[in-house]
Amino acid sequence: MKKLLSLAVMAIGLAEAQAQDVKIEFITPSIVHVVKGQPTKTLVVTAKPQDVALTKKGNTTSSKELTVKQDAKGNLTFLTAKGKVLLKEKDCDVLQARQTFTLDKDEAIYGLGTIQNGKMNRRGEKKRMEQSNLEDFQNVLQSIKGYGIYWENYSPTLFEDNAEGMTFDAEVGNGVDYYFMYGNNADGVIAQMRYLSGDVPMFPLWTYGFWQSKERYKSAAETEGIVDQYRALNVPLDGIIQDWQYWGSNYLWNAMDFLAEDFSNGKQMIQNVHRKHAHFMISIWASFGPMTQQYRELNEKGLLMPFETWPQSGISHIWPPVMKYPSGVKVYDAFHPEARAIYWKYLKTLYDYGTDAWWMDSTDPDFFNPRESDYAHKVYGGTWRSQRNAFPLETVRGIYQAQRKDYGQKRVFIMTRSSYAGQQHYGSNMWSGDVNSSWDMLRKQVPAGLSYSLTGNPNFNTDIGGFFCGSYNTKGSGSAPRNPQFQELYVRWMQYGLFCPVFRSHGADAPREIWQFGKKGEPVYDAIEKQIRLRYRLIPYLYSTAWQVTSNNDSYMRPLFSDFAADKKVWNITDEFLFGRSILAAPIVKAQYTEEKIIRTDAMTGWNRQNATDGSAAGAIDFTATKTTTKYLPKGAAWYDFWTNKQYKGGQDVTLETTLDRVPMFVRAGSILPLGPEMQYVGEKAWDNLEMRVYPGANGRFTLYEDEGDNYNYEKGQYATITFQWNDKARTLTIGARKGSYPGMLTKRQFTIVTPDGKQQSVNYDGHQTQVRIAK
């Protein structure tokens, strides 16, 4: 290892210190960029360095927030302004792009991405970080001590924490390049990461409703008919998703047009969906079949990559793939600006038909049987190995920027299977891939989503029910929704999905629409409907939280330590989290009515439609029976059971009576929780009489946010907020004067104030401050 020379400070106005082998640059008083050797040409960092005032004493450089020391061996130590040690470098190998750090013995570390092992704390972890169907990596890690690291390298990287230290070891790189961020807590680190790489634009209001999908609707009539059936049953729905092969054969893979016979008029189908007050999302891929226009144009320009990807065979209906009929499908070079422009040129066809949202599948992308020559293939900006993990960022960014440039006002909404650091800035929500339908996998989704959120990317969801459910088809193909084992799993998964930013049912092997599980009046059907209806009631709270995500660097899904780091009992809790700042979500992730099935599939074997079942199915199950579960309530707050309004003191385990149709959830004392009207789709009813639930026990504050819902006028200041403040001692609720305005805004309305004791009173509101006293 090279010995690093002592730090030499350059001009304070440049906020930069440099030695022969080490360069540090203060981007802000709280963010330090460290480079040893050659820096990475950034695809992520958009922030420009501030003019940071620095002081130097010997080998120490300080801002008002951070101090960086360099020892005789060249290793750096990061300290707070008060001298508390945050992190120490141990050693590095510049030529190997490897850096080791020393952590405190009991220091918990979090993030990196959606690692599917059911853990939150990354201590003791060893993981090769390369994008895949089920696991995605953002190279962002944060500590319980309130600092974070963004490892600026796009090649696959080995992360390992052991007795020797915590190490990032990249496969490609001529140097070590990382950002040290001090935020004081989890929210602060997230804010620093978003400062570096971009804020989170608002999604359309309608995206927070319920989405129905499956693999796959095989005709335009079927797709449209799903919306009809939801409307006929009066079950809320806002989105329908069209999965792959609407383009026809695999040789026309991702042609971005309705070429299959059963989709002969896709444009009309989309128009019909809109007339039913629903929105339309469509599957698009990062690869193209050899008979498509896109393939030919990209191929002529050398903008396709040579490796094997999905689908491997041109014969679409046979598994395993018939390799003597190769599909010829190739992934495009998303790093190349010309390739991204070609991609969008053809995608505009679907947009012009009326498509509302993009489902960007295989943005990892699928990369089968990798060869060294594949990794060495030159792409724009480097080699496939050197750029590998940033592929999802570049392909998503290409769509976001192009749509905003060409069409301006309509908000971009992208759902994608993979993500990299900074992707939060490009209108995307990531889902966790083709996970199997098992209780074990459901349990893993909770920490996976929280870990993802801790990297600065707030938008996460999963396939409700799990993607591969074929092992539950014990009474024939597609019978899983009538198998009690799958029914219980699906309901509990939906109750978890209730607290994800996107609420979407999807999967293979069996349909997932509500009527597949029974009929109204039956416990499973009723439980599913209850979750959907609750989701719509929560939308005013959720949309206001979305504004805090955009304007205040908040997160939707918050690990308990984000708010209760002083309570060490919450550091490793993986089945509870905060949904926004008021609701504690505690979904049930273990079977209570049926036996758990052990399901082992991966993203390839799961596609085998012949996957075996064990031949068993649960016997007569009484889903109306009452069960119990135990949940932990964090210390430092009092909590109300959302359903019973019973109050609990924090810092204890509580045992609850549970039913199939209720997800355990609590509301923090001091919260002000807005609930909207029940509706069939977002916008059906005005928010002219919101129920405002006030939970005494602490002072509280909540800001209700409203805008036009599906354009970017909010970026120009066209939105309105109303701040509610609860004074617990005086028992008064102050409804502040409305701030801001937007076209179509309600100027007069009512609020119905409700407290846990059942008392309620109505308040007329015309935009001026008013105060309500609530008697005990």
Side-chain angles (χ1 to χ4, degrees), residues 488 491-492 495 523-524 527 531 593 623 625 658-662:
E488 183 184 5
V491 169
R492 296 308 192 195
Q495 290 170 348
V524 176
Q531 312 320 306
Y593 296 88
F623 279 130
T658 64
T659 55
L660 183 69
D661 65 344
R662 284 189 180 183

Side-chain angles (χ1 to χ4, degrees), residues 504-560:
R504 176 188 61 99
S505 170
H506 177 68
D509 305 321
R512 310 297 176 92
E513 299 82 25
I514 186 173
W515 55 88
Q516 308 291 348
F517 292 84
K519 59 185 179 182
K520 195 171 185 66
E522 295 177 352
V524 176
Y525 180 105
D526 290 350
I528 295 170
E529 182 178 14
K530 186 171 183 176
Q531 312 320 306
I532 297 173
R533 292 190 180 280
L534 177 57
R535 173 71 173 206
Y536 279 78
R537 294 217 68 198
L538 289 170
I539 285 178
Y541 172 75
L542 182 49
Y543 198 56
S544 297
T545 298
W547 173 242
Q548 295 302 318
V549 170
T550 293
S551 65
N552 195 43
N553 291 309
D554 273 21
S555 300
Y556 301 96
M557 304 169 71
R558 303 169 57 81
L560 297 184

Side-chain angles (χ1 to χ4, degrees), residues 216-435:
R216 58 189 166 84
Y217 299 125
K218 296 183 178 180
S219 69
E222 183 184 10
T223 303
E224 189 180 331
I226 299 299
V227 182
D228 290 334
Q229 187 70 356
Y230 270 96
R231 295 288 180 253
L233 293 170
N234 293 314
V235 175
L237 179 74
D238 259 276
I240 189 74
I241 304 174
Q242 179 59 56
D243 206 342
W244 59 7
Q245 293 182 342
Y246 57 88
W247 50 69
S249 81
N250 285 357
Y251 298 112
L252 288 168
W253 187 264
N254 196 34
M256 297 174 173
D257 204 349
F258 295 100
L259 305 178
E261 288 185 17
D262 291 327
F263 291 93
S264 58
N265 198 337
K267 180 179 180 180
Q268 185 65 53
M269 172 188 66
I270 297 172
Q271 291 175 350
N272 292 344
V273 166
H274 288 165
R275 278 196 286 267
K276 304 173 202 296
H277 304 286
H279 293 84
F280 183 79
M281 176 186 282
I282 197 163
S283 171
I284 55 175
W285 288 62
S287 54
F288 297 98
M291 300 304 293
T292 61
Q293 299 175 78
Q294 297 93 324
Y295 183 104
R296 291 195 290 270
E297 186 168 350
L298 290 162
N299 192 45
E300 287 172 3
K301 298 176 182 293
L303 298 174
L304 293 173
M305 291 195 271
F307 57 75
E308 193 176 338
T309 192
W310 183 279
Q312 293 156 295
S313 171
I315 310 302
S316 61
H317 62 282
I318 297 176
W319 186 271
V322 183
M323 298 307 292
K324 63 183 178 180
Y325 296 103
S327 69
V329 172
K330 298 297 181 187
V331 172
Y332 83 117
D333 181 359
F335 303 100
H336 201 296
E338 187 175 7
R340 294 196 298 269
I342 292 169
Y343 192 102
W344 174 248
K345 179 177 75 172
Y346 291 98
L347 187 58
K348 286 172 67 174
T349 297
L350 289 174
Y351 187 92
D352 290 338
Y353 287 164
T355 297
D356 299 295
W358 310 111
W359 182 8
M360 297 185 71
D361 210 336
S362 189
T363 48
D364 352 310
D366 285 310
F367 178 28
F368 301 148
N369 304 314
R371 303 165 298 180
E372 180 55 38
S373 61
D374 294 332
Y375 279 115
H377 179 76
K378 291 188 180 302
V379 299
Y380 188 84
T383 64
W384 176 231
R385 188 186 294 275
S386 72
Q387 304 289 81
R388 170 77 178 97
N389 282 346
F391 186 93
L393 171 68
E394 291 300 90
T395 189
V396 166
R397 174 168 29 205
I399 303 307
Y400 175 83
Q401 292 180 337
Q403 183 175 323
R404 288 209 64 173
K405 178 178 180 291
D406 286 358
Y407 292 97
Q409 280 294 78
K410 184 176 176 62
R411 292 183 196 172
V412 181
F413 179 55
I414 296 169
M415 194 171 66
T416 179
R417 199 175 77 184
S418 189
S419 179
Y420 189 70
Q423 204 160 307
Q424 76 283 343
H425 189 56
Y426 303 104
S428 70
N429 176 296
M430 193 192 78
W431 91 94
S432 59
D434 296 345
V435 297

